Amino acid sequence: MALPLALRVRALALLIETDPAAKTQGVAQLAASWRAGGCALDTAAILDAGTAVIPGRPARPELVPPRLVGRRSMVTPEGRAMLVHALAHIEFNAVNLALDAVWRFPGMPDDYYADWLRVAAEEAHHFTLLAAHLRTLGWAYGDFPGHDSLWEMVEKTSGDVLARMALVPRTMEARGLDAIPPLRAKLAQAGDEAAASILDVLLRDEVGHVEIGNRWYGHLCALRGLEPVATYDALTVRYKAPVLKGPFNLDARRQAGFTEAELARFAGA
């Protein structure tokens, strides 16, 4: 009888995988195996990536500073393709960050690993939708440059799961809650209803992803006896997190588990 897959070991293997299709298909298969009871979960194991390059990604797109990614005018098909490509790149990085959350941090409750595997599977689905739509526009993932600011924060917080939950899902990813509605409107106005519909899926799922980050951040603060808002402020300074600027999607952020006190701060920003 075959031994069950070791969930966190497999997550690390998929994180190292460089081919986007193999990575996203593997994540979907791992999530299905977990749902079917075919995965073993050792929450105490301290895993070692050895000399592996993390994250695994293809040779393209070229990674450049955010200011050099280029303008994304909705007037031309190429401009719309650049925007779809940028979104696909974000989702590819989001697959990697969710896998990293699964393998890297031992000692969390079982539900933590199940939550982040679910995030990885949904982000993989998002990437697949966007990459497929990009091909209908005449381009492919890797044809335009991308930036690495999301993954840079993942690396900064690799030593502390509390900092990771504070500054990746509930800071970096939460910006998507604010950005997606106006981007959706621009794509719809440009006549790209297919892309607009994909962004509806992204917004729906990203609310859940940010909620997962908020929930585990609250869990860890309670476990360590920390006050969440003051701790968050201190972490943003320590890790040089980006300063958040409005406008904010307060309704989506409320659905994602931000407290009324936090929402009041956003409203005043």
Side-chain angles (χ1 to χ4, degrees):
M1 180 181 295
L3 294 174
L5 290 171
L7 176 63
R8 295 178 58 222
V9 172
R10 182 60 182 151
L12 175 55
L14 288 167
L15 178 60
I16 294 167
E17 172 62 55
T18 60
D19 179 69
K23 188 190 294 280
T24 53
Q25 291 167 12
V27 168
Q29 291 166 0
L30 182 60
S33 180
W34 169 260
R35 291 192 297 269
C39 287
L41 176 57
D42 183 351
T43 62
I46 299 175
L47 305 181
D48 184 359
T51 59
V53 175
I54 294 178
R57 48 186 158 200
R60 298 170 67 240
E62 176 190 6
L63 298 179
V64 299
R67 69 181 185 280
L68 300 181
V69 170
R71 294 187 62 190
R72 301 161 194 161
S73 169
M74 297 295 100
V75 176
T76 66
E78 183 175 5
R80 292 196 296 276
M82 288 176 68
L83 174 57
V84 173
H85 185 278
L87 293 168
H89 184 63
I90 290 170
E91 297 304 306
F92 185 73
N93 271 322
V95 176
N96 285 330
L97 76 85
L99 292 171
D100 195 79
V102 172
W103 87 268
R104 186 175 295 278
F105 301 110
M108 295 293 286
D110 290 6
D111 285 348
Y112 166 89
Y113 302 100
D115 279 344
W116 283 104
L117 178 60
R118 174 194 138 198
V119 173
E122 291 178 352
E123 303 288 25
H125 178 57
H126 298 168
F127 174 80
T128 300
L129 291 174
L130 290 163
H133 185 62
L134 187 60
R135 289 192 293 272
T136 71
L137 300 176
W139 281 269
Y141 180 59
D143 285 350
F144 301 104
H147 67 79
D148 210 25
S149 59
L150 178 58
W151 187 259
E152 288 169 359
M153 185 56 72
V154 173
E155 289 186 326
K156 283 182 181 181
T157 56
S158 63
D160 184 3
V161 65
L162 174 69
R164 173 68 61 83
M165 294 299 104
L167 301 178
V168 176
R170 69 191 310 270
T171 299
M172 304 294 288
E173 287 194 282
R175 292 302 286 153
L177 304 181
D178 310 319
I180 289 174
L183 292 177
R184 189 218 184 275
K186 288 180 181 179
L187 287 165
Q189 186 176 24
D192 196 337
E193 289 295 339
S197 295
I198 293 172
L199 263 64
D200 289 337
V201 176
L202 266 63
L203 181 58
R204 179 198 69 200
D205 291 346
E206 294 299 341
V207 168
H209 301 172
V210 176
E211 188 277 330
I212 286 170
N214 269 322
R215 179 157 34 86
W216 288 112
Y217 174 71
H219 167 84
L220 289 160
C221 283
L223 198 65
R224 300 184 190 184
L226 300 172
E227 196 286 313
V229 174
T231 299
Y232 177 78
D233 289 345
L235 289 170
T236 61
V237 173
R238 185 185 312 164
Y239 290 90
K240 298 181 173 64
V243 176
L244 300 183
K245 298 179 181 179
F248 297 100
N249 186 345
L250 297 181
D251 287 342
R253 284 176 174 267
R254 181 176 288 107
Q255 293 175 46
F258 285 96
T259 66
E260 291 302 319
E262 290 173 310
L263 293 171
R265 298 202 326 173
F266 293 135

